[in-house]
Amino acid sequence: MSSATRPTVDLRYRTIDLVTIATLGVAFGVVFWAWGKLYEPLSNLALFAFPPSSALLGGVWLMAGVVGGLIIRKPGAAFATEFIAATVSALIVGGTQWGFGVFASGFFQGLGAELVFLAVFYRRFGVLVAAGAGALAAAFESVYEWYSYYADWSFGYQLAHLGFFVVSGIFVAGIGGWALTRALASAGVLDSFAAGRETTTEV
């Protein structure tokens, strides 16, 4: 029986859930930090001559919350995984070019993803839910960046930034995060979780 039709959902945390959130947070934190180092040279490529289009690179920073929510499937998991990842990326030696602003980003990104899982009452975890989580995480982060980094942009530029970010959130964080979770499940890494025991493809 898929999680889409289960009559009840066990929302109690196990030790393995907490350990997995921490592990995912640290792993993604290292990825976030490394991607931050690549972001500036990549965003300066001619491909991103239109400044708001650099938001297409932002989806990578949203994956932790999506993957954490898809695997743990309990209240707070998406938010905690994303926020831990952001914290780790900020605390690694050298940190990121955004300084302590990364903590705010982790908060808004994690909150956006969490709200989508909450909206489906932690009962559905298919690709559409994952895409929605990535999209809302991107939207929250984009609006935060309007005021933190791009206050001098016109509203049209800000809306374009939002659009590009949401596209990246859907495809990179959402669909990409869903695919990563399925790959981990197929490899047997998630056998202790519902995500690893499912045989059906949810939407």
Side-chain angles (χ1 to χ4, degrees), residues 88-151:
V88 169
S89 72
L91 296 180
I92 291 177
V93 175
T96 71
Q97 57 269 51
W98 299 283
F100 290 108
V102 171
F103 293 103
S105 289
F107 176 87
F108 289 113
Q109 292 165 184
L111 179 62
E114 186 70 39
L115 287 175
V116 171
F117 291 113
L118 173 62
V120 296
F121 303 104
Y122 303 97
R123 290 176 181 272
R124 298 185 66 86
F125 302 93
V127 65
L128 294 183
V129 172
L136 193 59
F140 276 31
E141 175 62 16
S142 179
V143 173
Y144 162 69
E145 291 186 10
W146 289 0
Y147 299 99
S148 299
Y149 307 119
Y150 307 121

Side-chain angles (χ1 to χ4, degrees), residues 11 13 21 65 68-69 72-84 110 114-115 117-118 122:
L11 301 180
Y13 270 85
I21 287 173
I72 307 300
R73 304 185 172 190
K74 291 172 183 175
F79 175 83
T81 308
E82 184 70 33
F83 190 75
I84 290 171
E114 186 70 39
L115 287 175
F117 291 113
L118 173 62
Y122 303 97

